């Protein structure tokens, strides 16, 4: 009799555990990628600013919603004239400039001023196996 009560109790707890977690969303934030190459072109301008063109080549081994890039600056510097260009190696039709936005719309980017500089957040749907090239172009004042 005690054995039956114990089994019934265990099944009841197991059922409550399953039912209690059935609506929990599956969160998986572990993005697997590799940076294959980084190219940086920098030009010192006559006014003391620095024009930067930074291209980063990513290879993804998982799905992702985009990529980030942080440009650190001194407190007297600013980042101006930002542009972001992307292309996928697997699809030549995805070779274009992204729009700057404050929303998180696919194929756009957001630029935030942080305590250390500026953060680019690029919104682009990525699937396992994608090779993504992102080019960030901008000017740093008081370089």
């Amino acid at each position: 009799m005690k054995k039956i009560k114990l089994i019934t109790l265990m099944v009841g707890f197991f059922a409550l555990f399953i039912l209690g977690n059935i609506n929990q969303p599956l969160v998986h934030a572990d993005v697997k990628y590799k940076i294959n190459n980084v190219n940086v072109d920098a030009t010192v301008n006559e006014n003391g600013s620095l024009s930067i063109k930074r291209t980063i080549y990513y290879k993804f081994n998982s799905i992702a919603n985009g990529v980030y890039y942080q440009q650190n600056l001194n407190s007297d510097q600013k980042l101006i004239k930002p542009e972001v260009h992307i292309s996928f190696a697997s699809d030549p039709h995805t070779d274009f400039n992204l729009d700057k936005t404050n929303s998180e719309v696919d194929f756009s980017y957001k630029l935030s001023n942080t305590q250390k500089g500026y953060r680019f957040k690029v919104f682009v749907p990525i699937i396992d196996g994608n090779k993504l090239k992102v080019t960030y172009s901008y000017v740093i004042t008081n370089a």
Side-chain angles (χ1 to χ4, degrees):
M1 191 70 167
K2 285 185 180 183
K3 194 175 191 180
I4 293 174
K5 285 184 181 180
L6 180 61
I7 290 173
T8 305
L9 186 61
M10 287 174 51
V11 169
F13 279 124
F14 182 74
L16 285 173
F17 176 77
I18 295 297
L19 291 174
N21 290 309
I22 203 163
N23 290 327
Q24 298 296 320
L26 179 62
V27 176
H28 185 69
D30 186 24
V31 176
K32 295 181 175 111
Y33 69 96
K34 182 168 105 175
I35 294 177
N36 292 331
N37 197 5
V38 176
N39 293 330
V40 180
D41 293 322
T43 303
V44 178
N45 302 312
E46 288 183 16
N47 64 1
S49 65
L50 188 63
S51 295
I52 302 285
K53 182 177 179 182
R54 178 182 307 274
T55 304
I56 303 174
Y57 297 83
Y58 298 90
K59 166 68 170 83
F60 288 86
N61 294 317
S62 65
I63 62 170
N65 294 319
V67 294
Y68 299 92
Y69 172 69
Q70 172 76 29
Q71 175 61 62
N72 293 333
L73 299 175
N74 293 330
S75 60
D76 64 334
Q77 295 176 315
K78 290 186 180 178
L79 188 147
I80 59 172
K81 300 180 183 176
E83 292 182 9
V84 178
H85 184 91
I86 67 160
S87 63
F88 285 99
S90 60
D91 186 358
H93 297 99
T94 58
D95 187 13
F96 52 87
N97 287 323
L98 300 182
D99 291 327
K100 183 179 170 186
T101 181
N102 285 327
S103 63
E104 298 182 0
V105 178
D106 284 348
F107 300 103
S108 67
Y109 76 96
K110 187 180 202 178
L111 184 63
S112 303
N113 190 347
T114 68
Q115 289 180 341
K116 295 182 179 181
Y118 289 84
R119 180 181 187 194
F120 289 88
K121 188 174 182 183
V122 178
F123 302 100
V124 57
I126 298 164
I127 61 172
D128 187 5
N130 275 155
K131 292 180 181 177
L132 176 67
K133 178 175 90 170
V134 181
T135 301
Y136 304 92
S137 301
Y138 50 90
V139 175
I140 298 174
T141 62
N142 298 321

